Amino acid sequence: IFLTAKTRIQDLVAGFEKGAVDYVFKPFNSEELLARVKTHIELKKAREKIKNDAAEIYRLNTALNQKNADLANINKTMDSIIREKTRQLRNTNHTLSALNDEKMDFIRFFTHELNTPLNFIAATQTIDKEELSNANKEILDIVDHGFTR
């Protein structure tokens, strides 16, 4: 703040160009001068706070951008892992399905083969034993005895 007796505009502009932020004409009022000093001190503090806040915002924004880039890389890696695990699970599921089909074929075959003699034995239960010869009755009794065990 400069104190001047000059009142010409070009003199005031020259003072601002040399770094002055305000001026007070002579004769001056001390209350006015103190009020102007107080205002400019508050303005300087406010400008410093804005400058510091802007620097902090820039720093935080830079850190946030880095974190976002890191997360994008992690997401890309996770997507790749998930695709690979999904492929592996599909292959495993296909293999298990094929094995299950083989197991079911075996069970059907075994059941058929097991049922064939049992069907014969079950059919012997409907034979009228009175019409059979003694030799055939003995064979039928042996089969019946084995079947009822």
Side-chain angles (χ1 to χ4, degrees):
I1 299 176
F2 64 94
L3 184 61
T4 183
K6 297 179 180 182
T7 58
R8 294 184 346 196
I9 295 294
Q10 64 264 26
D11 292 330
L12 297 176
V13 170
F16 286 122
E17 287 173 351
K18 291 184 180 176
V21 292
D22 202 356
Y23 59 88
V24 177
F25 293 114
K26 289 182 186 177
F28 70 94
N29 178 309
S30 61
E31 288 179 18
E32 177 189 3
L33 180 59
L34 289 175
R36 287 180 185 256
V37 168
K38 180 181 175 189
T39 297
H40 285 287
I41 289 172
E42 289 172 0
L43 286 172
K44 182 174 183 341
K45 287 179 182 177
R47 278 192 298 272
E48 286 175 357
K49 182 171 180 354
I50 289 170
K51 182 180 174 184
N52 292 338
D53 289 351
E56 180 66 6
I57 288 170
Y58 178 80
R59 185 190 68 76
L60 291 172
N61 192 42
T62 300
L64 181 61
N65 286 338
Q66 181 59 50
K67 296 291 182 188
N68 284 337
D70 293 346
L71 284 174
N73 287 334
I74 290 169
N75 282 339
K76 186 176 178 182
T77 301
M78 292 302 296
D79 284 345
S80 176
I81 290 169
I82 288 169
R83 277 193 299 279
E84 175 59 21
K85 292 296 181 187
T86 299
R87 186 192 65 74
Q88 290 174 358
L89 285 172
R90 281 190 185 123
N91 288 343
T92 301
N93 189 41
H94 178 73
T95 301
L96 290 174
S97 181
L99 289 172
N100 189 54
D101 290 346
E102 287 180 31
K103 176 191 78 170
M104 293 308 295
D105 289 345
F106 176 77
I107 289 172
R108 279 191 288 278
F109 173 78
F110 184 75
T111 302
H112 174 73
E113 292 302 317
L114 185 62
N115 280 334
T116 299
L118 293 177
N119 286 338
F120 169 75
I121 294 169
T124 62
Q125 300 300 307
T126 63
I127 295 175
D128 185 5
K129 293 180 183 177
E130 298 303 319
E131 296 177 10
L132 296 177
S133 67
N134 286 336
N136 286 337
K137 284 182 185 178
E138 286 180 33
I139 293 171
L140 192 55
D141 287 340
I142 292 169
V143 169
D144 282 342
H145 179 69
F147 183 66
T148 56
R149 271 201 220 169

